[in-house]
Amino acid sequence: MRILVVEDEPHLLRSLAKALREEDYAVDTAAAGDEGLFKVESCDYDAVVLDVMLPGMDGWQLLERLRRSKLTPVLMLTARDAIRDRVRGLDTGADDYLVKPFDLSELLARVRALIRRGAGKPCPRIELGEVAIDLRSRTVTRAGQPVSMTAREYAILEYLAYHRGEVVTRTALYEHLMDESDDTLSNLVDVHVFGIRKKLGADLITTRRGQGYCIGP
Ligand code: CA
């Protein structure tokens, strides 16, 4: 899953990006509103963490522009616990908000919930036959037994499971699992899928030649 963080305070931006990357999200960053708008318009993020108070274009304006074309889930960071701010955020199309200062673990939980809701999967568990994915703990079991996955394997499996029944192209996997600072995945998706099949069964992921990968019918 790929997330954009728009925040002008350098220290907070760094710590948010670091915390999200530690959860194995691909994270892009923007330190100003117009830069954030450029990025959300050019990439389909799985979620956006958006500070309200930004130099130039502020978070409200960015959100309004984004909502003209996209339904990307947005978590707003508001500086004050003002009801007016919250109402405005929800009216403009924010999906959730968090008041500064906040606890990082709460932000991570809200981002997880946003991504699940955005994908129409409010339940934190996805079952694929004998394979079960716990989206909260990011763990996988097969026939009830824990299976150890690499971060990349888990990310690919989770993305395909969120899009169960759809063919997911390699390009989509690159776009959603790698961020702007990452050039290491290159064409290794096939290798990770091979690893997933070895651990979870050869039939779990279908290859559609020339199209991509698919879980389920
Ligand atoms: Ca700010």
Side-chain angles (χ1 to χ4, degrees), residues 103-117:
D103 192 83
L104 269 181
S105 61
E106 183 176 6
L107 177 120
L108 295 173
R110 284 174 185 266
V111 166
R112 281 196 297 272
L114 261 193
I115 290 175
R116 287 204 307 268
R117 288 204 303 269

Side-chain angles (χ1 to χ4, degrees), residues 7-9 51-55 100:
E7 167 61 71
D8 60 314
E9 292 161 42
D51 186 29
V52 168
M53 303 295 285
L54 295 166
K100 288 180 176 179

